[in-house]
């Protein structure tokens, strides 16, 4: 997982790639927990929060595309 500051500096393509990878990782974590391979259920909540952060930054960039870093 990337820090929030680094996410804000990424471009749209980077954010979409990170979003795709995070969703894949979330589905793997859910599968592992359901099959009993993994016991740490807190990972699901962390992944969902991380995905929400990425989506929030993408939406912020839609409405403020000329925001200077």
């Amino acid at each position: 997982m990337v820090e929030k500051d680094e996410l804000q500096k990424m471009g749209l393509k980077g954010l979409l790639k990170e979003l795709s990878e995070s969703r894949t990782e979330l589905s793997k974590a859910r599968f592992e927990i359901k099959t009993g391979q993994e016991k740490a259920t807190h990972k699901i909540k962390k992944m969902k929060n991380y995905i929400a952060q990425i989506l929030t930054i993408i939406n912020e960039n839609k409405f403020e595309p000329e925001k200077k870093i």
Side-chain angles (χ1 to χ4, degrees), residues 21-52:
E21 291 172 359
S22 298
R23 285 182 170 164
T24 303
E25 212 174 304
L26 176 62
S27 71
K28 285 181 185 178
R30 284 182 174 157
F31 176 77
E32 288 175 356
I33 289 170
K34 285 188 178 187
T35 58
Q37 296 173 355
E38 183 70 45
K39 300 286 182 192
T41 58
H42 67 279
K43 288 183 179 181
I44 290 178
K45 184 176 180 180
K46 284 185 178 184
M47 291 303 302
K48 287 171 75 174
N49 286 339
Y50 183 65
I51 290 170

Side-chain angles (χ1 to χ4, degrees), residues 3-16:
E3 294 292 322
K4 185 178 177 185
D5 296 336
E6 294 175 21
L7 284 174
Q8 290 176 336
K9 293 178 184 177
M10 280 187 186
L12 182 60
K13 286 184 181 182
L15 288 170
L16 292 175

Side-chain angles (χ1 to χ4, degrees), residues 4 7-8 15 52-61:
K4 185 178 177 185
L7 284 174
Q8 290 176 336
L15 288 170
Q53 271 187 342
I54 295 171
L55 290 171
T56 300
I57 292 170
I58 289 172
N59 285 329
E60 284 175 353
N61 290 340

